[in-house]
Structure formats: structure tokens, C-alpha cells
């Protein structure tokens, strides 16, 4: 069964009322609606839904985790692959005041919605949205870095077509600062990465390839953290580049 476009109206995803309640409780204390980026984030989700984008953006606590991981990396430049409606881009830039973010999106409609949301958040000066397939855009960015036309990146968030996870990760290694960190979303997929009947599916195969390549690559150290929440049982890979 293909993943549906909506997390809530189906039996495809696993749910547990405790996961939802814990997210709601913790987030209400750790990121109350008085926070300065609250309205811009809510606006980005509302316009994304109204414009018919798939309901697959990072959920609030993962968005904040990614923004804090970027802060921990002391990154001044970041790369995102898979902009969707700009929700995570707004998290990254709003939580990291000096950050310059480059975000890559293959779908023109998604990119247009994201640009509007980023403008509404007042972040257009610091977020560059590049339209195009990551498999073409990332090698071009890496070449610009090699030629000294673009700064190296201190952080990356990869959340796009899963079969190209390793291609994106590998391209990032060629344009990252020493000590940069990378988060790759959706590498657990309800445990399907270890289900023998699923390991040939595009997403699961892409996650397994990434994990196995990172495991044998002497340039990086990585770990996978499984997550649960309102939106699913999944997980992310965190890697640090030496
Ligand atoms: C799904 C979830 C994601 O976070 C994503 O980036 C793509 C797909 C999903 O569960 O279908
Ligand atoms: Mg994702």
C-alpha cells in the first residue's frame, strides 16, 4: 500500500494516544505559542494544507530538534534537501538568527508555496530556495563550493526522495565544513527497513543504503534514533563529519 497524503484519516500509520499526548504536553511547555516563530510556523502549515501539499512535513518537535542540532553545530550556513512548504526551513532560520540557508525543492508548486511562507515569516533575505532535482542541484552547489564561489555548509537536513538519500549525503560531504552535522529524516519507516518483504521498496532500500554506506565511510560517524509521535513511528539518522 502506498503512503497516503494525509497522516490522520487512515489506518496506514501507527498511532498511540500516549505519543500524541506526550508531544502535546512537552511542546506546550517547551515551545508555547508566545514564542516568536509560532505564528509563522502555523501559517506555513495552514497555507501548505490549503494549497494541497502532502501532509508530510516534519512535526513540531522534530522541526525544533533539527533547528537545535543546527545551533549545536554552530553552523552559519545550512543546506536542506526537500523544502516542501518551507516549514522546516522556517524553523532552521528563525531559531538560528545568523544562519543562511539554501533549500532545494524539485516541485515548482511546493517551491512557490515555500517562498510565500518564507516571505511571510520575514526570512527571504536568509533563505535561498533553489528549484530543481537534488541530483542536479547538489553537484552544482558542490562545484560552486570547490570554485570558492559559495561557502561550505555547517549543517544539512535531508528529507526528500528517499531512494537518493545516499547520493545527497555523499554530495554534501564534498561541500561540508569539518565538524558539520547531517540529519536525514525517515530512515526507520515503521520498522520496514528490516522487513524482508519491504527492503527492495524505494524508500526502505534508500534508507538501508544510506545506513550501510555511512557505516563504512571513514569520513563520518552516524547513529539512528527511532521516534514516535502523532505523525508516526519513524526515525532519523544523525551523522557528524570529521
Ligand atoms: C513520509 C514522511 C516524511 O517525513 C517524508 O519526508 C516523506 C514521506 C511518509 O510517511 O509518507
Ligand atoms: Mg520527512
Amino acid at each position: 500500500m502506498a503512503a497516503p497524503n494525509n497522516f490522520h484519516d487512515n489506518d496506514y500509520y501507527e498511532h498511540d494516544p500516549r505519543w500524541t499526548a506526550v508531544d502535546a504536553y512537552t511542546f506546550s511547555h517547551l515551545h508555547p505559542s508566545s514564542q516568536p516563530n509560532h505564528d509563522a510556523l502555523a501559517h506555513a502549515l495552514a497555507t501548505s494544507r490549503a494549497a494541497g501539499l502532502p501532509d508530510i512535513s516534519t512535526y513540531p518537535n522534530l522541526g525544533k530538534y533539527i533547528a537545535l542540532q543546527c545551533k549545536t553545530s554552530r553552523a552559519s550556513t545550512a543546506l536542506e534537501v526537500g523544502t516542501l512548504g518551507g516549514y522546516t526551513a522556517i524553523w532552521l532560520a528563525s531559531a538560528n538568527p545568523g544562519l543562511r540557508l539554501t533549500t532545494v525543492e524539485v516541485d515548482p508548486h511546493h517551491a512557490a508555496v515555500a517562498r510565500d511562507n518564507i516571505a511571510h515569516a520575514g526570512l527571504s533575505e536568509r533563505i535561498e530556495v533553489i528549484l530543481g532535482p537534488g541530483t542536479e542541484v547538489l553537484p552544482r552547489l558542490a562545484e560552486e563550493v570547490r570554485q570558492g564561489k559559495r561557502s561550505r555548509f555547517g549543517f544539512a537536513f535531508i528529507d526528500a526522495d528517499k531512494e537518493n538519500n545516499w547520493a545527497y549525503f555523499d554530495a554534501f560531504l564534498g561541500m561540508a565544513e569539518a565538524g558539520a552535522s547531517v540529519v536525514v529524516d525517515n530512515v526507520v519507516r515503521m520498522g520496514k527497513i528490516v522487513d524482508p518483504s519491504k527492503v527492495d521498496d524505494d524508500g526502505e532500500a534508500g534508507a538501508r543504503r544510506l545506513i550501510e554506506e555511512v557505516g563504512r565511510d571513514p569520513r563520518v560517524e552516524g547513529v539512528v534514533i527511532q521516534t514516535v509521535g502523532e505523525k508516526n513511528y519513524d526515525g532519523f539518522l544523525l551523522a557528524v563529519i570529521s
Side-chain angles (χ1 to χ4, degrees):
M1 182 176 160
N5 270 353
N6 189 307
F7 278 104
H8 305 287
D9 299 340
N10 60 75
D11 298 325
Y12 180 83
Y13 295 104
E14 293 179 41
H15 296 275
D16 183 317
R18 293 173 301 172
W19 304 348
T20 310
V22 169
D23 273 356
Y25 162 69
T26 59
F27 202 75
S28 72
H29 285 278
L30 296 171
H31 209 82
S33 57
S34 55
Q35 289 284 321
N37 62 2
H38 178 272
D39 291 354
L41 291 164
H43 177 86
L45 289 182
T47 60
S48 296
R49 202 172 303 123
L53 270 54
D55 182 19
I56 57 171
S57 72
T58 52
Y59 45 91
N61 51 353
L62 184 61
K64 184 163 184 178
Y65 171 80
I66 292 158
L68 292 181
Q69 179 60 46
C70 181
K71 187 178 289 239
T72 302
S73 309
R74 299 182 184 277
S76 56
T77 48
L79 176 70
E80 179 184 46
V81 191
T83 315
L84 199 62
Y87 179 76
T88 313
I90 292 170
W91 260 118
L92 280 163
S94 59
N96 292 282
L99 186 75
R100 280 176 297 120
L101 173 67
T102 300
T103 181
V104 181
E105 173 57 50
V106 68
D107 184 305
H109 178 51
H110 297 178
V113 171
R115 285 192 177 111
D116 281 352
N117 286 333
I118 289 162
H120 182 267
L123 294 169
S124 303
E125 301 276 288
R126 292 196 286 121
I127 303 179
E128 169 192 25
V129 180
I130 300 182
L131 177 62
T135 48
E136 289 171 21
V137 174
L138 267 62
R140 197 166 78 224
L141 295 176
E143 184 56 31
E144 290 175 16
V145 167
R146 267 191 296 277
Q147 292 176 2
K149 295 180 182 156
R150 182 179 281 275
S151 307
R152 288 186 172 272
F153 294 98
F155 179 76
F157 178 53
I158 299 174
D159 189 19
D161 51 322
K162 311 306 176 194
E163 58 272 27
N164 284 314
N165 268 341
W166 172 247
Y168 299 148
F169 191 103
D170 192 34
F172 183 67
L173 288 174
M175 49 181 155
E177 295 169 353
S181 57
V182 187
V183 174
V184 185
D185 197 21
N186 311 117
V187 301
V188 173
R189 304 176 69 93
M190 295 186 281
K192 288 187 208 157
I193 56 161
V194 292
D195 177 344
S197 72
K198 300 281 183 209
V199 295
D200 293 330
D201 292 4
D202 289 346
E204 286 71 22
R208 288 174 65 92
R209 168 118 199 256
L210 173 76
I211 290 160
E212 292 167 25
E213 295 278 6
V214 167
R216 59 179 159 252
D217 195 313
R219 298 170 293 179
V220 290
E221 289 190 89
V223 69
V224 167
I225 299 297
Q226 303 187 68
T227 57
V228 294
E230 179 187 4
K231 272 196 164 185
N232 213 351
Y233 159 39
D234 208 322
F236 60 83
L237 177 127
L238 170 68
V240 178
I241 298 169
S242 46

